[in-house]
Amino acid sequence: MILYPAIDLKAGQCVRLEQGDMARATVFNADPAAQARSFAEAGFSWLHVVDLDGAFAGRPVNAAAVGAILQSIQIPVQLGGGIRNMATIEAWLERGIARVVIGTAAIKDPELVREAARAFPGQIAVGLDAKDGFIAVEGWAEDSDATVLDTAKRFEDAGVAAIIYTDIGRDGLLKGLNIGATAALARAISIPVIASGGLASLDDVRRLLSEEGAGIAGAIAGRALYDGRLDPAEALALVAQARGSAAGSPAAA
């Protein structure tokens, strides 16, 4: 399992929202590049970045901040927010983004996901953000009648690298991940699933790791890292220990 620290960008700053509400944003760092360096120096192997303004605008807005992040670190960056067409996908990948996350466009234009996954194997993920099991789009401002499971199954043969499943009701509130729903989704599809929304403590990491065999490939941590509830060294050590145990098991051998 990979633990992804999150940088959410609003007006060029690192913020965390509560339940996706742009009016309920807390600024944690005015320098995203410095925050990215801090995460890299802490030992994280990936970084998850969201252009929040872009998610609402339907196009990249915080490109300068993303560019500064890319220049400041060597670890791969996963980026979502405002990515709605092939031109934007290609532009980000050319700039050095390792994986793009397609959210709203995956619901409204699923063929874009298929086309992108064919063109850029291993570099396309789908972001499924849900309220009570139903997908929300346009920066979570609009609900839909599509369920998470039905939507995820549509991409089974598309070749996407991962599904990022976010429980909006928990996001930014430190209520804990919806591990039950995430594990159920991961068991129902062959695509690796990354958990998001509400990771609150080391106990959440332990619970994720206990879901061995469910297919949960990672988890995104935001507010808990910023306010000190989740210690990076402890969390990464726990993940490394679990990875080592798995590698040494008879099944792995």
Side-chain angles (χ1 to χ4, degrees), residues 152-208:
K153 284 185 173 180
R154 291 178 196 160
F155 298 109
E156 280 276 44
D157 61 348
V160 300
I163 295 284
I164 300 173
Y165 170 57
T166 303
D167 185 330
I168 298 172
R170 295 168 180 254
D171 193 67
L173 298 182
L174 297 170
K175 289 184 174 181
L177 290 164
N178 190 340
I179 293 176
T182 305
L185 175 64
R187 289 190 176 96
I189 61 176
S190 61
I191 307 167
V193 174
I194 297 172
S196 175
L199 194 152
S201 67
L202 205 60
D203 284 340
D204 272 336
V205 179
R206 289 192 184 96
R207 289 171 60 212
L208 278 171

Side-chain angles (χ1 to χ4, degrees), residues 24-208:
R24 296 158 69 192
T26 303
V27 176
F28 281 100
N29 197 326
D31 187 344
Q35 184 63 62
R37 284 193 298 272
S38 176
F39 283 142
E41 290 165 359
F44 289 101
S45 60
W46 272 82
L47 178 66
H48 178 79
V49 178
V50 179
D51 181 351
L52 292 173
D53 299 302
F56 283 90
R59 56 177 175 75
V61 174
N62 286 287
V66 175
I69 289 171
L70 288 171
Q71 290 179 349
S72 70
I73 59 175
Q74 299 299 314
I75 62 174
V77 176
Q78 172 177 278
L79 174 70
I83 301 173
R84 308 284 171 87
N85 53 57
M86 279 295 287
T88 302
I89 293 169
E90 291 172 0
W92 279 128
L93 294 176
E94 287 174 2
R95 287 191 65 177
I97 292 296
R99 184 190 293 158
V100 298
V101 182
I102 303 175
T104 294
I107 310 305
K108 298 191 172 183
D109 183 12
E111 185 53 37
L112 173 65
V113 174
R114 298 179 181 279
E115 181 185 355
R118 286 193 298 267
F120 306 107
Q123 293 186 285
I124 306 299
V126 170
L128 299 182
D129 306 327
K131 293 179 180 178
D132 301 319
F134 290 90
I135 300 293
V137 295
E138 302 293 348
W140 303 354
E142 296 180 14
D143 297 333
S144 77
D145 57 2
T147 69
V148 172
L149 181 56
D150 288 345
T151 304
K153 284 185 173 180
R154 291 178 196 160
F155 298 109
E156 280 276 44
D157 61 348
V160 300
I163 295 284
I164 300 173
Y165 170 57
T166 303
D167 185 330
I168 298 172
R170 295 168 180 254
D171 193 67
L173 298 182
L174 297 170
K175 289 184 174 181
L177 290 164
N178 190 340
I179 293 176
T182 305
L185 175 64
R187 289 190 176 96
I189 61 176
S190 61
I191 307 167
V193 174
I194 297 172
S196 175
L199 194 152
S201 67
L202 205 60
D203 284 340
D204 272 336
V205 179
R206 289 192 184 96
R207 289 171 60 212
L208 278 171

